[in-house]
Amino acid sequence: ATTEIYTLSLHDALPICRGSAYKTEIDLRKVDKLVLNKRRSRVDSIILKGSELQGTRLEHYENMDFLAELIERVVGQDKVRVQRWLHS
């Protein structure tokens, strides 16, 4: 049996990490919670939470909605939370 490993390469996104730990790849198997911050029905930022991720936040990706959809498929709907912002 093969085990698939899903990683997210951050070359096209701007990760904003707490502390000094900057990662260029994230093992999506370690994501415990995916938070999608939406503004006007579009994803504005993505927060990946997990024991080793410390709330890694992704912003300024060319197509945040598409990126969020891909990550959502890998980590599973049960780990996704959507926050909606009313102000622009």
Side-chain angles (χ1 to χ4, degrees):
T2 356
T3 304
E4 294 185 51
I5 298 174
Y6 295 98
T7 59
L8 172 66
S9 174
L10 300 177
H11 297 287
D12 297 329
L14 175 62
I16 300 171
C17 306
R18 291 187 181 138
S20 59
Y22 174 81
K23 296 182 180 191
T24 57
E25 289 189 352
I26 295 172
D27 185 347
L28 294 177
R29 294 173 302 167
K30 298 185 180 183
V31 174
D32 296 326
K33 185 186 282 185
L34 170 65
V35 180
L36 304 177
N37 291 317
K38 289 190 169 190
R39 185 178 305 178
R40 295 189 202 132
S41 76
R42 300 199 60 147
V43 176
D44 193 47
S45 66
I46 299 170
I47 301 172
L48 304 169
K49 294 184 178 184
S51 58
E52 296 179 22
L53 299 173
Q54 303 169 348
T56 300
R57 180 185 196 104
L58 304 174
E59 294 181 336
H60 309 294
Y61 186 75
E62 185 176 324
N63 191 340
M64 293 294 289
D65 293 304
F66 180 70
L67 178 61
E69 185 180 311
L70 290 176
I71 297 171
E72 204 172 325
R73 282 190 215 159
V74 173
V75 302
Q77 277 294 116
D78 57 324
K79 296 180 180 180
V80 178
R81 187 179 77 176
V82 176
Q83 295 183 133
R84 299 194 188 280
W85 301 98
L86 301 175
H87 304 286
S88 54

